[in-house]
Amino acid sequence: MTDTTAATWLTQEAYDRLSTELERLKGEGRTEIAQRIAAARDEGDLKENGGYHAAREEQAKQEARIRELEAKLRNVQIGTPPDDGVVEPGMVVTAVVAGDEMVFLLGSREIAGSADIEVFSPTSPLGAAISGKTVGDSTTYTAPNGREIPVEIVAAKPFDA
């Protein structure tokens, strides 16, 4: 039996940051929202209670973020990919895309954190087309408008936060 769920590659810093956020949301974050809902409920008529509805909406958003973080952290690979020139999650890729040179991170936006670098998911059309390719390889991917876009891999180096 093979696992069809791809691991999310994260730096140790990104993993620690997301784990801390998850614990805060599950602990004090839930407590704060519950207190705000209770306080708003005590104000009376719930049909016309804007504070109550706003707190419930915020609670729903927070619970969605908790589920998102739990899913990301459930199947995670921590560390630095090997510096072997193979394009894979966690690599900063330099590529000539449709004639223009681009430098971007292949992986989760969570990895980049506050780094000022464009991020492409490995499941995006570009990311899927270049995953597993090596420096010097050329390929194409189909853009949303149906055009075939040529790509040449110029460099692939591990991301260093």
Side-chain angles (χ1 to χ4, degrees), residues 57-85:
E57 188 174 311
E58 187 174 334
Q59 180 186 41
K61 288 178 185 176
Q62 181 173 301
E63 291 301 319
R65 178 65 176 164
I66 288 171
R67 287 190 302 278
E68 175 188 6
L69 289 172
E70 287 175 336
K72 275 190 174 131
L73 297 173
R74 188 173 299 123
N75 189 16
V76 69
Q77 178 181 344
I78 300 171
T80 304
D83 190 359
D84 56 7

Side-chain angles (χ1 to χ4, degrees), residues 2 29 51 71 73 76 93 96 112 122 142-143 153 156:
T2 58
L73 297 173
V76 69
V93 179
V96 177
T142 305
I153 308 302

Side-chain angles (χ1 to χ4, degrees), residues 36-37 40-41 45-60:
R36 289 185 28 215
I37 289 172
R41 188 180 293 129
D45 187 3
L46 296 182
K47 283 188 268 183
E48 296 180 19
N49 187 329
Y52 172 80
H53 294 291
R56 291 296 302 230
E57 188 174 311
E58 187 174 334
Q59 180 186 41

Side-chain angles (χ1 to χ4, degrees), residues 55-133:
R56 291 296 302 230
E57 188 174 311
E58 187 174 334
Q59 180 186 41
K61 288 178 185 176
Q62 181 173 301
E63 291 301 319
R65 178 65 176 164
I66 288 171
R67 287 190 302 278
E68 175 188 6
L69 289 172
E70 287 175 336
K72 275 190 174 131
L73 297 173
R74 188 173 299 123
N75 189 16
V76 69
Q77 178 181 344
I78 300 171
T80 304
D83 190 359
D84 56 7
V86 176
V87 177
E88 59 187 316
M91 299 296 271
V92 174
V93 179
T94 303
V96 177
V97 181
D100 294 324
E101 187 171 281
M102 295 175 61
V103 178
F104 55 90
L105 172 65
L106 185 67
S108 166
R109 293 190 191 293
E110 304 291 357
I111 300 168
S114 61
D116 189 21
I117 187 167
E118 193 168 7
V119 180
F120 284 91
S121 166
T123 58
S124 69
L126 174 58
I130 64 173
S131 288
K133 302 289 186 212

